[in-house]
Amino acid sequence: MSTLHSVTVANVNRETPDCVSIEFDIPENLQKEFSFQAGQHVIVRKEINGEDVRRTYSFCSAPSEGKHRIAVRHVENGVFSSFANQDLKAGDPLEISSPLGDFTLATKTDQSSTYVAFAVGSGITPIISMIKQVMQNEPNSQFFLYYGNRDSEHTIFAEEIAQLKNKYMGRFSYQYFMTRQAVDIPFFNGRITGDKAATLHKQVFGDMDVAAYYLCGPLAMIDDVRATLLEAGEPEEHIHSELFFANPEDAVNSQKKNASEGLAKSKVKVISDGREIEVDYRDEHGSILEATLKSGIDVSFACKGGVCATCRAKVIEGEVNMGLNYGLEPEEIEEGFVLTCQSVPLTKSVTISFDE
Ligand SMILES: Cc1cc2nc3c(=O)[nH]c(=O)nc-3n(C[C@H](O)[C@H](O)[C@H](O)COP(=O)(O)OP(=O)(O)OC[C@H]3O[C@@H](n4cnc5c(N)ncnc54)[C@H](O)[C@@H]3O)c2cc1C
Ligand code: FES
């Protein structure tokens, strides 16, 4: 399980009218635990109006910068993003987890690779971390960024991206897609679509033996671009994606359906932090995660919507049914991992480990 640590906010910077970046002061004794790879995220926990709020945010700083910085875009009526954009200030305490996630790009100094990323809105955060890491640590590699936004005013990190292009001319290039502002080349007007990705693949990077594609943004963009790249013959294992948000109603409906089709009762043996604890699951819990939390065991979670994979655990014995899954890769499912916030027991006893 990922432990939460109380750290201090070093500074809060306004990036756009609806986005702030937040740098954390990580104490010396936690520096090792907080070493991260480009693309990883942390869970941020804060009690807001009596509610235990946990959300996940990707680092926008690169590991090579020696800083721990995230960026939070305001979402209408969003509990944490409103707090971060309106109230959070330097010197405030926040609880954060150590870095998590497999949406990563690990650089090697002597490697000569081509990387391509498609990002939309706040989906730029893990991608800009990757771009900076590649530029600083792989001097023979190049990076192509395609970045969708409504207009230039709301384009997060526009200035930093322009500076990176000037500094790494010939190795880093970017193109903006705008939905509510006309751009010079009509092709870049509107959303990033599968058709546009197909054209770019054909005309720009399709012959470059791209080492890895990174997709971060809304589900429709990720699905369309992934399908296009696969159709163009790109290997599945070269296409990496991270979703920040999915329709919460889908998760609730799927959970209800799942629970109604599963067993009414089951004994779930939960392994967490090396301890084994028996939990009584009842169908009104709706998920193994909820039953575990209700019995007082503090396991990791954040979105409870099948997206962030923070609640991932491995089924050691028995069977479970997982409804929605936006967070696990097919290989992880084959290895027996499930999202516990979306899973219910199918057998009278189940053993599940959060320590794997
Ligand atoms: C792995 C991962 C990494 C993430 N990294 C970042 C990041 O770097 N920067 C960032 O800004 N966010 C990031 N997110 C999203 C973030 O975790 C929160 O979901 C987001 O900030 C909204 O939280 P909230 O508390 O403000 O909204 P909530 O209180 O959770 O939601 C309020 C309302 O807004 C809706 N809503 C929530 N999120 C969105 C959305 N993205 N678009 C439209 N409607 C939404 C909800 O359905 C609800 O109706 C990431 C998510 C994941 C899973
Ligand atoms: S808590 Fe986010 S996928 Fe389960």
Side-chain angles (χ1 to χ4, degrees), residues 301-304 306-309 311 339 341:
F301 70 93
C303 73
K304 291 190 180 175
V307 178
C308 70
C311 65
L339 300 175
C341 73

Side-chain angles (χ1 to χ4, degrees), residues 18-20 39-42 48 51 53-60 70-83 85 100 122-126 156 216 242-249 302-303 307-310:
D18 62 353
C19 178
V20 287
Q40 284 196 301
H41 60 265
V42 284
I48 302 174
E51 192 192 334
V53 178
R54 297 178 194 217
R55 303 286 185 264
T56 34
Y57 293 99
S58 310
F59 286 115
C60 57
I70 60 168
V72 180
R73 162 162 270 172
H74 178 241
V75 167
E76 209 181 325
N77 300 323
V79 179
F80 187 82
S81 63
S82 301
F83 163 77
N85 273 268
L100 299 163
S122 56
I124 192 65
T125 49
I156 308 171
C216 193
E242 181 128 278
L243 182 67
F244 281 2
F245 169 74
N247 184 356
E249 274 173 31
C303 73
V307 178
C308 70
T310 311

Side-chain angles (χ1 to χ4, degrees), residues 40-308:
Q40 284 196 301
H41 60 265
V42 284
I43 305 168
V44 179
R45 179 187 174 275
K46 173 82 189 162
E47 197 170 304
I48 302 174
N49 298 327
E51 192 192 334
D52 176 359
V53 178
R54 297 178 194 217
R55 303 286 185 264
T56 34
Y57 293 99
S58 310
F59 286 115
C60 57
S61 49
S64 51
E65 288 178 285
K67 288 183 176 171
H68 295 82
R69 180 180 283 278
I70 60 168
V72 180
R73 162 162 270 172
H74 178 241
V75 167
E76 209 181 325
N77 300 323
V79 179
F80 187 82
S81 63
S82 301
F83 163 77
N85 273 268
Q86 289 155 18
D87 301 321
L88 191 68
K89 52 185 189 322
D92 284 354
L94 266 187
E95 278 183 74
I96 62 172
S97 71
S98 42
L100 299 163
D102 301 327
F103 183 64
T104 52
L105 192 161
T107 50
K108 284 198 197 119
T109 318
D110 56 352
Q111 202 159 258
S112 163
S113 302
T114 299
Y115 303 99
V116 176
F118 289 84
V120 172
S122 56
I124 192 65
T125 49
I127 305 293
I128 196 163
S129 171
M130 292 175 182
I131 295 168
K132 288 186 277 190
Q133 190 68 4
V134 169
M135 290 302 116
Q136 285 158 13
N137 278 20
E138 270 183 18
N140 300 317
S141 291
Q142 56 177 347
F143 209 116
F144 292 86
L145 167 67
Y146 300 98
Y147 181 18
N149 279 288
R150 87 178 99 139
D151 54 33
S152 40
E153 194 191 5
H154 292 89
T155 300
I156 308 171
F157 305 130
E159 211 176 303
E160 199 174 351
I161 289 170
Q163 283 168 1
L164 284 167
K165 180 164 177 175
N166 287 339
K167 188 167 176 190
Y168 299 105
M169 195 86 67
R171 292 179 50 216
F172 170 53
S173 68
Y174 68 90
Q175 288 291 344
Y176 289 148
F177 286 76
M178 298 281 178
T179 54
R180 290 195 216 155
Q181 178 182 317
V183 287
D184 292 344
I185 306 169
F187 178 83
F188 296 106
N189 275 319
R191 290 179 199 286
I192 297 174
T193 60
D195 285 350
K196 288 184 178 173
T199 305
L200 293 167
H201 187 273
K202 204 165 160 199
Q203 296 182 357
V204 185
F205 50 78
D207 292 334
M208 293 184 181
D209 196 15
V210 173
Y213 291 91
Y214 292 93
L215 320 178
C216 193
L219 188 58
M221 184 281 277
I222 291 177
D223 283 352
D224 283 2
V225 175
R226 178 191 292 278
T228 295
L229 295 174
L230 290 173
E231 210 170 292
E234 295 294 343
E236 192 160 13
E237 62 276 17
H238 288 189
I239 308 170
H240 311 279
S241 61
E242 181 128 278
L243 182 67
F244 281 2
F245 169 74
N247 184 356
E249 274 173 31
D250 289 349
V252 172
N253 292 339
S254 159
Q255 240 180 16
K256 277 188 190 153
K257 182 170 174 283
N258 215 7
S260 69
E261 288 169 359
L263 295 185
K265 282 181 185 175
S266 174
K267 293 268 180 217
V268 180
K269 199 184 285 170
V270 173
I271 303 172
S272 172
D273 286 338
R275 291 182 309 148
E276 278 189 24
I277 304 148
E278 201 162 89
V279 168
D280 282 319
Y281 168 88
R282 293 186 306 280
D283 53 1
E284 64 257 32
H285 289 131
S287 70
I288 291 176
L289 175 71
E290 215 50 57
T292 306
L293 294 174
K294 286 263 158 57
S295 69
I297 305 170
D298 188 17
V299 292
S300 293
F301 70 93
C303 73
K304 291 190 180 175
V307 178
C308 70

